[in-house]
PDB file of all heavy atoms in Angstrom:
ATOM      1  N   ARG A  44    -172.751-131.507  47.918  1.00 87.00           N
ATOM      2  CA  ARG A  44    -174.061-131.954  48.393  1.00 87.00           C
ATOM      3  C   ARG A  44    -173.908-132.739  49.679  1.00 87.00           C
ATOM      4  O   ARG A  44    -172.821-133.193  50.021  1.00 87.00           O
ATOM      5  CB  ARG A  44    -174.737-132.867  47.376  1.00 87.00           C
ATOM      6  CG  ARG A  44    -175.098-132.210  46.102  1.00 87.00           C
ATOM      7  CD  ARG A  44    -175.943-133.148  45.257  1.00 87.00           C
ATOM      8  NE  ARG A  44    -175.908-132.694  43.878  1.00 87.00           N
ATOM      9  CZ  ARG A  44    -175.054-133.133  42.967  1.00 87.00           C
ATOM     10  NH1 ARG A  44    -174.185-134.061  43.274  1.00 87.00           N
ATOM     11  NH2 ARG A  44    -175.071-132.643  41.757  1.00 87.00           N
ATOM     12  N   ARG A  46    -175.554-133.436  53.791  1.00 74.00           N
ATOM     13  CA  ARG A  46    -175.440-132.793  55.096  1.00 74.00           C
ATOM     14  C   ARG A  46    -175.248-133.880  56.127  1.00 74.00           C
ATOM     15  O   ARG A  46    -175.187-135.056  55.787  1.00 74.00           O
ATOM     16  CB  ARG A  46    -176.713-131.975  55.393  1.00 74.00           C
ATOM     17  CG  ARG A  46    -176.847-130.748  54.529  1.00 74.00           C
ATOM     18  CD  ARG A  46    -175.772-129.730  54.859  1.00 74.00           C
ATOM     19  NE  ARG A  46    -175.676-128.716  53.821  1.00 74.00           N
ATOM     20  CZ  ARG A  46    -174.556-128.082  53.497  1.00 74.00           C
ATOM     21  NH1 ARG A  46    -173.432-128.411  54.116  1.00 74.00           N
ATOM     22  NH2 ARG A  46    -174.541-127.167  52.580  1.00 74.00           N
ATOM     23  N   PHE A  64    -166.231-138.844  47.909  1.00 93.00           N
ATOM     24  CA  PHE A  64    -167.193-139.126  48.979  1.00 93.00           C
ATOM     25  C   PHE A  64    -166.485-138.968  50.316  1.00 93.00           C
ATOM     26  O   PHE A  64    -165.455-139.597  50.554  1.00 93.00           O
ATOM     27  CB  PHE A  64    -167.742-140.550  48.812  1.00 93.00           C
ATOM     28  CG  PHE A  64    -168.727-140.941  49.869  1.00 93.00           C
ATOM     29  CD1 PHE A  64    -169.888-140.215  50.059  1.00 93.00           C
ATOM     30  CD2 PHE A  64    -168.487-142.047  50.685  1.00 93.00           C
ATOM     31  CE1 PHE A  64    -170.817-140.580  51.037  1.00 93.00           C
ATOM     32  CE2 PHE A  64    -169.400-142.421  51.663  1.00 93.00           C
ATOM     33  CZ  PHE A  64    -170.560-141.689  51.832  1.00 93.00           C
ATOM     34  N   SER A 214    -150.315-106.525   9.047  1.00 91.00           N
ATOM     35  CA  SER A 214    -150.266-107.758   8.263  1.00 91.00           C
ATOM     36  C   SER A 214    -148.817-108.185   8.077  1.00 91.00           C
ATOM     37  O   SER A 214    -147.932-107.342   7.969  1.00 91.00           O
ATOM     38  CB  SER A 214    -150.905-107.494   6.894  1.00 91.00           C
ATOM     39  OG  SER A 214    -150.472-108.446   5.954  1.00 91.00           O
ATOM     40  N   ARG A 468    -163.192-101.986  19.623  1.00 84.00           N
ATOM     41  CA  ARG A 468    -163.108-100.548  19.757  1.00 84.00           C
ATOM     42  C   ARG A 468    -163.271-100.087  21.202  1.00 84.00           C
ATOM     43  O   ARG A 468    -162.679 -99.104  21.632  1.00 84.00           O
ATOM     44  CB  ARG A 468    -164.207 -99.940  18.904  1.00 84.00           C
ATOM     45  CG  ARG A 468    -164.072 -98.474  18.745  1.00 84.00           C
ATOM     46  CD  ARG A 468    -165.148 -98.037  17.785  1.00 84.00           C
ATOM     47  NE  ARG A 468    -165.320 -96.606  17.852  1.00 84.00           N
ATOM     48  CZ  ARG A 468    -166.303 -95.987  17.245  1.00 84.00           C
ATOM     49  NH1 ARG A 468    -167.185 -96.669  16.557  1.00 84.00           N
ATOM     50  NH2 ARG A 468    -166.406 -94.683  17.329  1.00 84.00           N
TER      51      ARG A 468
ATOM     52  P     G B   1    -167.313 -91.467  16.334  1.00 83.98           P
ATOM     53  OP1   G B   1    -167.344 -90.147  16.798  1.00 83.98           O
ATOM     54  OP2   G B   1    -166.345 -92.471  16.567  1.00 83.98           O
ATOM     55  O5'   G B   1    -167.690 -91.525  14.805  1.00 83.98           O
ATOM     56  C5'   G B   1    -167.810 -90.397  14.022  1.00 83.98           C
ATOM     57  C4'   G B   1    -168.551 -90.850  12.808  1.00 83.98           C
ATOM     58  O4'   G B   1    -167.942 -92.049  12.290  1.00 83.98           O
ATOM     59  C3'   G B   1    -170.001 -91.278  13.045  1.00 83.98           C
ATOM     60  O3'   G B   1    -170.864 -90.157  13.119  1.00 83.98           O
ATOM     61  C2'   G B   1    -170.267 -92.120  11.802  1.00 83.98           C
ATOM     62  O2'   G B   1    -170.486 -91.317  10.663  1.00 83.98           O
ATOM     63  C1'   G B   1    -168.931 -92.838  11.632  1.00 83.98           C
ATOM     64  N9    G B   1    -168.953 -94.192  12.217  1.00 83.98           N
ATOM     65  C8    G B   1    -168.288 -94.640  13.324  1.00 83.98           C
ATOM     66  N7    G B   1    -168.509 -95.902  13.591  1.00 83.98           N
ATOM     67  C5    G B   1    -169.402 -96.315  12.583  1.00 83.98           C
ATOM     68  C6    G B   1    -170.015 -97.577  12.347  1.00 83.98           C
ATOM     69  O6    G B   1    -169.885 -98.620  12.987  1.00 83.98           O
ATOM     70  N1    G B   1    -170.846 -97.545  11.230  1.00 83.98           N
ATOM     71  C2    G B   1    -171.050 -96.418  10.450  1.00 83.98           C
ATOM     72  N2    G B   1    -171.879 -96.584   9.415  1.00 83.98           N
ATOM     73  N3    G B   1    -170.482 -95.246  10.658  1.00 83.98           N
ATOM     74  C4    G B   1    -169.674 -95.259  11.735  1.00 83.98           C
ATOM     75  P     C B  33    -181.855-133.549  60.578  1.00 83.98           P
ATOM     76  OP1   C B  33    -182.169-134.423  61.718  1.00 83.98           O
ATOM     77  OP2   C B  33    -180.636-132.719  60.572  1.00 83.98           O
ATOM     78  O5'   C B  33    -181.872-134.420  59.253  1.00 83.98           O
ATOM     79  C5'   C B  33    -182.885-135.406  59.065  1.00 83.98           C
ATOM     80  C4'   C B  33    -182.763-135.996  57.692  1.00 83.98           C
ATOM     81  O4'   C B  33    -183.031-134.987  56.693  1.00 83.98           O
ATOM     82  C3'   C B  33    -181.375-136.496  57.307  1.00 83.98           C
ATOM     83  O3'   C B  33    -181.069-137.757  57.886  1.00 83.98           O
ATOM     84  C2'   C B  33    -181.497-136.560  55.792  1.00 83.98           C
ATOM     85  O2'   C B  33    -182.196-137.709  55.384  1.00 83.98           O
ATOM     86  C1'   C B  33    -182.341-135.313  55.495  1.00 83.98           C
ATOM     87  N1    C B  33    -181.476-134.165  55.094  1.00 83.98           N
ATOM     88  C2    C B  33    -181.290-133.914  53.729  1.00 83.98           C
ATOM     89  O2    C B  33    -181.882-134.621  52.918  1.00 83.98           O
ATOM     90  N3    C B  33    -180.467-132.917  53.353  1.00 83.98           N
ATOM     91  C4    C B  33    -179.838-132.188  54.280  1.00 83.98           C
ATOM     92  N4    C B  33    -179.037-131.214  53.855  1.00 83.98           N
ATOM     93  C5    C B  33    -180.006-132.416  55.672  1.00 83.98           C
ATOM     94  C6    C B  33    -180.831-133.417  56.043  1.00 83.98           C
ATOM     95  P     G B  35    -178.259-142.234  53.604  1.00 83.98           P
ATOM     96  OP1   G B  35    -179.601-141.648  53.415  1.00 83.98           O
ATOM     97  OP2   G B  35    -178.097-143.642  53.984  1.00 83.98           O
ATOM     98  O5'   G B  35    -177.435-141.995  52.269  1.00 83.98           O
ATOM     99  C5'   G B  35    -177.523-140.739  51.599  1.00 83.98           C
ATOM    100  C4'   G B  35    -177.125-140.972  50.167  1.00 83.98           C
ATOM    101  O4'   G B  35    -175.705-141.225  50.116  1.00 83.98           O
ATOM    102  C3'   G B  35    -177.806-142.195  49.554  1.00 83.98           C
ATOM    103  O3'   G B  35    -178.006-141.944  48.178  1.00 83.98           O
ATOM    104  C2'   G B  35    -176.749-143.283  49.681  1.00 83.98           C
ATOM    105  O2'   G B  35    -176.843-144.290  48.711  1.00 83.98           O
ATOM    106  C1'   G B  35    -175.472-142.457  49.485  1.00 83.98           C
ATOM    107  N9    G B  35    -174.256-143.044  50.064  1.00 83.98           N
ATOM    108  C8    G B  35    -174.046-143.428  51.350  1.00 83.98           C
ATOM    109  N7    G B  35    -172.832-143.891  51.543  1.00 83.98           N
ATOM    110  C5    G B  35    -172.228-143.821  50.292  1.00 83.98           C
ATOM    111  C6    G B  35    -170.926-144.188  49.881  1.00 83.98           C
ATOM    112  O6    G B  35    -170.018-144.659  50.557  1.00 83.98           O
ATOM    113  N1    G B  35    -170.733-143.939  48.530  1.00 83.98           N
ATOM    114  C2    G B  35    -171.669-143.426  47.699  1.00 83.98           C
ATOM    115  N2    G B  35    -171.297-143.262  46.440  1.00 83.98           N
ATOM    116  N3    G B  35    -172.895-143.064  48.061  1.00 83.98           N
ATOM    117  C4    G B  35    -173.095-143.299  49.367  1.00 83.98           C
ATOM    118  P     A B  39    -177.844-131.126  40.540  1.00 83.98           P
ATOM    119  OP1   A B  39    -177.769-129.724  40.949  1.00 83.98           O
ATOM    120  OP2   A B  39    -176.637-131.879  40.207  1.00 83.98           O
ATOM    121  O5'   A B  39    -178.627-131.966  41.659  1.00 83.98           O
ATOM    122  C5'   A B  39    -179.589-131.343  42.457  1.00 83.98           C
ATOM    123  C4'   A B  39    -180.635-132.360  42.827  1.00 83.98           C
ATOM    124  O4'   A B  39    -180.067-133.331  43.758  1.00 83.98           O
ATOM    125  C3'   A B  39    -181.830-131.805  43.588  1.00 83.98           C
ATOM    126  O3'   A B  39    -182.771-131.227  42.694  1.00 83.98           O
ATOM    127  C2'   A B  39    -182.367-133.062  44.266  1.00 83.98           C
ATOM    128  O2'   A B  39    -183.053-133.891  43.344  1.00 83.98           O
ATOM    129  C1'   A B  39    -181.058-133.751  44.678  1.00 83.98           C
ATOM    130  N9    A B  39    -180.632-133.368  46.028  1.00 83.98           N
ATOM    131  C8    A B  39    -179.600-132.529  46.378  1.00 83.98           C
ATOM    132  N7    A B  39    -179.467-132.365  47.666  1.00 83.98           N
ATOM    133  C5    A B  39    -180.474-133.137  48.207  1.00 83.98           C
ATOM    134  C6    A B  39    -180.877-133.391  49.529  1.00 83.98           C
ATOM    135  N6    A B  39    -180.268-132.879  50.590  1.00 83.98           N
ATOM    136  N1    A B  39    -181.949-134.212  49.722  1.00 83.98           N
ATOM    137  C2    A B  39    -182.550-134.723  48.643  1.00 83.98           C
ATOM    138  N3    A B  39    -182.268-134.568  47.356  1.00 83.98           N
ATOM    139  C4    A B  39    -181.210-133.765  47.203  1.00 83.98           C
ATOM    140  P     A B  76    -158.095-102.187   3.028  1.00 83.98           P
ATOM    141  OP1   A B  76    -156.833-101.444   3.009  1.00 83.98           O
ATOM    142  OP2   A B  76    -159.174-101.781   2.136  1.00 83.98           O
ATOM    143  O5'   A B  76    -157.811-103.720   2.752  1.00 83.98           O
ATOM    144  C5'   A B  76    -156.504-104.140   2.576  1.00 83.98           C
ATOM    145  C4'   A B  76    -156.552-105.490   1.938  1.00 83.98           C
ATOM    146  O4'   A B  76    -155.338-106.178   2.245  1.00 83.98           O
ATOM    147  C3'   A B  76    -157.691-106.367   2.462  1.00 83.98           C
ATOM    148  O3'   A B  76    -158.334-107.007   1.394  1.00 83.98           O
ATOM    149  C2'   A B  76    -156.999-107.355   3.366  1.00 83.98           C
ATOM    150  O2'   A B  76    -157.588-108.652   3.264  1.00 83.98           O
ATOM    151  C1'   A B  76    -155.594-107.410   2.803  1.00 83.98           C
ATOM    152  N9    A B  76    -154.650-107.644   3.886  1.00 83.98           N
ATOM    153  C8    A B  76    -153.713-106.811   4.430  1.00 83.98           C
ATOM    154  N7    A B  76    -153.027-107.336   5.404  1.00 83.98           N
ATOM    155  C5    A B  76    -153.540-108.608   5.517  1.00 83.98           C
ATOM    156  C6    A B  76    -153.234-109.668   6.386  1.00 83.98           C
ATOM    157  N6    A B  76    -152.305-109.605   7.326  1.00 83.98           N
ATOM    158  N1    A B  76    -153.923-110.803   6.228  1.00 83.98           N
ATOM    159  C2    A B  76    -154.862-110.867   5.283  1.00 83.98           C
ATOM    160  N3    A B  76    -155.241-109.925   4.410  1.00 83.98           N
ATOM    161  C4    A B  76    -154.523-108.812   4.587  1.00 83.98           C
TER     162        A B  76
END
Side-chain angles (χ1 to χ4, degrees):
Chain A
R44 294 188 199 93
R46 290 293 165 211
F64 179 59
S214 159
R468 191 175 165 189

